[in-house]
Amino acid sequence: NAGVTQTPKFQVLKTGQSMTLQCAQDMNHEYMSWYRQDPGMGLRLIHYSVGAGITDQGEVPNGYNVSRSTTEDFPLRLLSAAPSQTSVYFCASRRHGTDYNEQFFGPGTRLTVL
Amino acid sequence: DAKTTQPTSMDCAEGRAANLPCNHSTISGNEYVYWYRQIHSQGPQYIIHGLKNNETNEMASLIITEDRKSSTLILPHATLRDTAVYYCIEKNGGGTSYGKLTFGQGTILTVHP
């Protein structure tokens, strides 16, 4: 299994541009989520999904949209990038249910908004 | 999910045991203690979790006090590759909170040769 993959690894945007961060997992996990990590801080939850067609907001959802059309993919969209969205973005997935507590993280996307 | 308290940084000599403490004095009865670590520039990695009993796996041991207000993660023989930020996290059991993890600042563990 490839696990959780994210593309691109690095991205530079200008203020106002839009883009989509891709996340995919091949473990048939029901639960997927997006976090952002700013320098010197822990991860903060942006959006999450408990299955295809179901999404919900996390701690810092403003400025981001998500959709979950398949079990495998969970893209994160920035509609109009702002410098405050400069961060490292991590996607994660896990099985749903009490016996599957390990959350798997992708390698991250490093985004700079100028 | 309630907040945990960890020391900002710790040092450990290579080959020695690394003992990372965590305070979770407001933990509720159905909340587990999870440990993740993040090696520089990588995504977080799951280490271990427990409810009230001590736990051990191939990576580490987790010692939880009887009153559940604190715990210690033990890396029995630390190596240079264990240098990372270690996060202690409280959360409800797997299915009820949909896996949401609340990360604090964590402890920066530096393993020295």
Side-chain angles (χ1 to χ4, degrees):
Chain A
N1 290 344
V4 180
T5 58
Q6 293 183 236
T7 56
K9 291 185 179 180
F10 301 94
Q11 183 70 51
V12 178
L13 292 177
K14 294 181 179 179
T15 296
Q17 286 184 315
S18 62
M19 79 159 295
T20 299
L21 280 63
Q22 301 292 342
C23 174
Q25 53 90 11
D26 61 357
M27 298 173 281
N28 201 33
H29 286 171
E30 297 91 346
Y31 178 86
M32 297 185 72
S33 56
W34 278 102
Y35 293 83
R36 62 176 287 175
Q37 185 173 33
D38 300 316
M41 297 182 65
L43 282 71
R44 292 183 292 170
L45 182 65
I46 305 172
H47 285 285
Y48 66 96
S49 167
V50 299
I54 305 170
T55 64
D56 205 347
Q57 296 180 349
E59 181 185 356
V60 288
N62 292 341
Y64 308 95
N65 280 352
V66 292
S67 60
R68 184 92 179 273
S69 56
T70 67
T71 299
E72 294 77 19
D73 300 297
F74 191 43
L76 179 71
R77 282 184 288 275
L78 284 69
L79 300 179
S80 179
S84 61
Q85 294 179 304
T86 294
S87 189
V88 182
Y89 292 85
F90 291 101
C91 179
S93 75
R94 66 178 282 267
R95 290 289 299 275
H96 188 57
T98 57
D99 292 332
Y100 301 99
N101 296 290
E102 179 176 357
Q103 195 152 173
F104 295 84
F105 285 82
T109 294
R110 284 145 186 83
L111 175 67
T112 300
V113 182
L114 302 175
Chain B
D1 295 332
K3 185 176 179 181
T4 61
T5 304
Q6 301 176 250
T8 301
S9 63
M10 296 184 65
D11 291 335
C12 178
E14 189 176 20
R16 303 298 293 268
N19 298 288
L20 290 84
C22 179
N23 287 325
H24 31 80
S25 57
T26 59
I27 194 169
S28 61
N30 62 347
E31 287 184 315
Y32 288 69
V33 178
Y34 284 72
W35 284 84
Y36 280 76
R37 73 180 183 183
Q38 186 174 24
I39 297 172
H40 182 62
S41 298
Q42 299 181 19
Q45 176 190 23
Y46 166 84
I47 302 173
I48 199 168
H49 75 279
L51 182 62
K52 55 183 179 181
N53 296 322
N54 298 337
E55 303 287 346
T56 296
N57 63 19
E58 64 278 4
M59 290 183 66
S61 295
L62 176 60
I63 308 298
I64 302 174
T65 58
E66 191 169 346
D67 63 7
R68 300 189 69 237
K69 293 185 177 181
S70 66
S71 60
T72 301
L73 177 74
I74 302 173
L75 307 179
H77 304 287
T79 71
L80 299 179
R81 290 174 294 179
D82 292 322
T83 292
V85 179
Y86 287 77
Y87 296 100
C88 171
I89 301 167
E90 297 174 18
K91 70 176 291 292
N92 289 320
T96 59
S97 64
Y98 302 111
K100 288 184 285 186
L101 297 173
T102 301
F103 287 81
Q105 300 283 345
T107 296
I108 301 171
L109 174 68
T110 303
V111 181
H112 298 285

